[in-house]
Amino acid sequence: MPSRAVDPEGVEWRRLSPRYLTLRLVSGAIGTAVWTSIACLPLGARSIGFGLFAALPWWFVLALPAAVAALNLVLLALTPRRVRAMGYAERADDLLVRSGLLVRRVSVVPYGRMQYVDVTVGPIEGALGLATVRLHTAAAATQAAIPGLPEAEAARLREQLSARGEARLAGL
């Protein structure tokens, strides 16, 4: 259910690349495997009778990895909805960046307040042809990031935002 406070009327939101969902699912699956493996350490230690872990009840050492895996799988299942909730919109005087599933957030960054625009490409992002655009302003709390953009769109957005920012700043 859209809210006017979070979704202004007449705004055409642009979505992130579908490959960003792949990136988030792969990194989430790797994180799930790592955290579940770490949660299994007490189970292994209990089975060989190692130190304090030998005194732990079996139900605890079995429930710990099961709970960690279940929590991570729920978070992984929510990933597609989280990615769909993200987007950005270019308006005449500012850029809107939205995110969040349960707690929705829209950041408004006026072009005249931008200090610089940063484009980063990580190793997995690069393999998928994606980039992240970060907008920096004088206010530390107003750092907006748009992840999951195709590299060509990230370059276009960087140039567009830089030009608009310089034009607005020159008018001050």
Side-chain angles (χ1 to χ4, degrees):
M1 62 179 127
S3 166
R4 274 189 266 177
V6 178
D7 290 322
E9 292 182 26
V11 172
E12 184 71 29
W13 292 102
R14 298 184 75 165
R15 296 194 181 272
L16 307 180
S17 171
R19 290 176 292 189
Y20 183 63
L21 176 60
T22 304
L23 175 96
R24 294 284 302 260
L25 288 173
V26 168
S27 63
I30 291 169
T32 298
V34 167
W35 285 111
T36 303
S37 299
I38 291 170
C40 285
L41 290 177
L43 178 63
R46 167 78 166 87
S47 66
I48 62 170
F50 181 73
L52 293 175
F53 295 108
L56 290 174
W58 277 106
W59 65 266
F60 180 77
V61 294
L62 290 174
L64 182 63
V68 168
L71 175 66
N72 280 298
L73 289 174
V74 167
L75 294 175
L76 203 57
L78 290 173
T79 299
R81 291 198 58 202
R82 284 185 177 154
V83 171
R84 277 196 312 267
M86 299 171 80
Y88 67 100
E90 296 175 74
R91 296 196 302 187
D93 296 321
D94 50 30
L95 178 78
L96 303 175
V97 180
R98 78 173 177 184
S99 62
L101 186 57
L102 183 61
V103 177
R104 295 176 294 168
R105 175 185 175 148
V106 171
S107 298
V108 180
V109 182
Y111 297 130
R113 301 284 185 207
M114 288 189 301
Q115 290 185 328
Y116 63 97
V117 180
D118 194 14
V119 177
T120 58
V121 179
I124 300 174
E125 282 179 317
L128 293 172
L130 299 175
T132 299
V133 174
R134 292 191 197 299
L135 308 160
H136 300 273
T137 65
T142 315
Q143 288 187 7
I146 308 170
L149 295 175
E151 288 180 345
E153 174 65 9
R156 183 203 66 82
L157 192 59
R158 178 193 62 221
E159 296 303 319
Q160 178 98 5
L161 294 175
S162 298
R164 286 182 176 176
E166 286 177 18
R168 297 295 189 280
L169 192 58
L172 292 178

